Amino acid sequence: MGEPTEIQRGDAARADAAHDGGSEAARASTARQPEGATRAAQSRTAALRNRVRDQRRSPARPRIWFELALIGISYWLYSIVRNAVPEQEAVAQRNARWIWDLEHHLGIAVEHSINHAVDSVGWLITGMNYYYATLHFIITIGVLVWLYRSHPGRYVAARTVLFVTTGIALVGFYFFPLAPPRLMTGGGFIDTVQAHHTWGSFASGPAAHVSNLYAAMPSMHIGWSMWCGLAIFFLARRTWVRVLGLMYPLATLTVIISTANHFWMDAVGGEICLTVGFLTARWLYHEWVYKLPQVPARETTDRPVTVPEQWSEPTVSSARR
């Protein structure tokens, strides 16, 4: 009687199998939980990566209050850093003489002749003094506003170019102080602002006490004007406006040379900074600034679809008629 019968042994085997199967199912369920959590984490990471990629390829237009605050704070910091750099007059004069000698060696030292020739035409040089003092800011701000309103998909990348260009310029101001031609000892240049009693430079008159007189390399008048000119040329629709865009940096170059505020080489330095700015934006957004979508993808997909009013009226079935 004490020995198990065949039926009892079968029941015990089935019970053990059921117990083992349950344990395996529990272990499988436990094993699947971290794997599922890992897949969920990976999917979230992939979604975030895709979102960042889409944002880089089609940057959204920032809020206007954020942009105004950013530009205001950035220019405030730029002014503080630029004017806080030690002027180092002796070093600035030595660098100016080195630049002047280099231009003579290259055969492009024509700033002195242009400065004296234009200065002899009173109304022309006076207009250039006011041009130098005002359009540098007015045109740049105007182009920023235009890009924000009409080309929101390209605005952030274009603004990045401008910020990077200006940031590199600050490095140049610090490590390469340079006396402009009108302040170079023994250069024989005419300071057209003082000669014609016009306000046209933050480095002349009362403003000279709070401005760095030797922040001339690179020339941001050229860097900013070329940034504006390229934006207008590539994005404007009317041909005459595009032509004006190209003429603007050329006119600025003529002004900075005629007023003896910069050497030719300062303009070259400004163009180098701008080139680095465009390359940086190309790396960040995976596309050249002016080839980005005019309108961000988010604004085109979120825009509500409008239909004629009669389409939204409820239809009456023929059976009820």
Side-chain angles (χ1 to χ4, degrees):
M1 288 180 62
E3 296 181 358
T5 62
E6 293 297 329
I7 296 176
Q8 290 173 338
R9 284 197 296 268
D11 293 340
R14 284 192 295 271
D16 291 340
H19 180 269
D20 293 340
S23 300
E24 291 177 1
R27 286 194 298 269
S29 176
T30 305
R32 281 196 300 270
Q33 285 181 356
E35 183 181 353
T38 302
R39 284 199 298 268
Q42 290 176 348
S43 63
R44 287 194 296 268
T45 303
L48 178 60
R49 185 165 54 248
N50 292 336
R51 183 176 179 181
V52 172
R53 182 193 60 194
D54 295 340
Q55 177 67 16
R56 292 174 68 180
R57 294 181 176 176
S58 182
R61 171 167 40 188
R63 295 185 182 276
I64 184 64
W65 63 265
F66 172 82
E67 199 60 25
L68 291 176
L70 178 63
I71 293 175
I73 293 174
S74 299
Y75 183 74
W76 175 65
L77 293 175
Y78 165 76
S79 301
I80 290 178
V81 174
R82 179 182 184 273
N83 297 331
V85 173
E87 293 189 351
Q88 306 179 29
E89 180 176 358
V91 178
Q93 291 291 346
R94 184 168 64 249
N95 289 338
R97 178 54 58 184
W98 180 80
I99 290 289
W100 190 230
D101 291 342
L102 175 63
E103 290 191 357
H104 275 284
H105 178 72
L106 296 175
I108 59 174
V110 296
E111 292 94 327
H112 186 276
S113 300
I114 295 176
N115 172 237
H116 281 258
V118 178
D119 182 73
S120 62
V121 184
W123 63 268
L124 180 59
I125 196 62
T126 300
M128 287 186 173
N129 287 338
Y130 291 126
Y131 179 112
Y132 184 86
T134 59
L135 292 190
H136 177 56
F137 302 102
I138 294 174
I139 299 297
T140 304
I141 294 174
V143 172
L144 279 170
V145 173
W146 172 61
L147 289 174
Y148 185 88
R149 290 175 57 88
S150 301
H151 298 269
R154 298 159 181 153
Y155 172 81
V156 173
R159 182 250 285 152
T160 300
V161 173
L162 190 64
F163 278 27
V164 172
T165 301
T166 306
I168 298 174
L170 290 176
V171 178
F173 298 156
Y174 187 89
F175 289 101
F176 195 80
L178 179 68
R182 62 187 182 80
L183 296 180
M184 186 177 67
T185 303
F189 290 91
I190 301 172
D191 188 339
T192 59
V193 173
Q194 292 187 354
H196 296 272
H197 306 289
T198 58
W199 56 272
S201 172
F202 289 109
S204 296
H209 299 290
V210 294
S211 179
N212 185 356
L213 298 174
Y214 305 117
M217 170 65 84
S219 170
M220 282 298 92
H221 272 76
I222 289 299
W224 289 12
S225 65
M226 181 61 75
W227 176 85
C228 294
L230 290 176
I232 295 172
F233 175 76
F234 282 107
L235 301 180
R237 296 180 179 179
R238 295 180 175 86
T239 302
W240 66 271
V241 176
R242 299 178 65 194
V243 172
L244 287 179
L246 290 182
M247 291 177 60
Y248 175 53
L250 295 177
T252 301
L253 178 62
T254 303
V255 167
I256 67 172
I257 298 298
S258 300
T259 57
N261 277 288
H262 288 284
F263 294 102
W264 285 112
M265 298 305 294
D266 301 345
V268 174
E271 296 298 340
I272 292 175
C273 293
L274 183 65
T275 300
V276 176
F278 273 110
L279 291 175
T280 301
R282 174 67 174 82
W283 173 73
L284 285 174
Y285 299 103
H286 296 180
E287 187 58 272
W288 294 109
V289 173
Y290 307 124
K291 289 186 176 182
L292 288 168
Q294 180 177 0
V295 179
R298 182 183 305 177
E299 294 189 14
T300 57
T301 56
D302 292 347
R303 188 173 299 171
V305 179
T306 58
V307 297
E309 184 179 356
Q310 59 270 22
W311 289 11
S312 60
E313 294 179 356
T315 57
V316 181
S317 63
S318 58
R320 295 181 59 184
R321 293 177 183 177

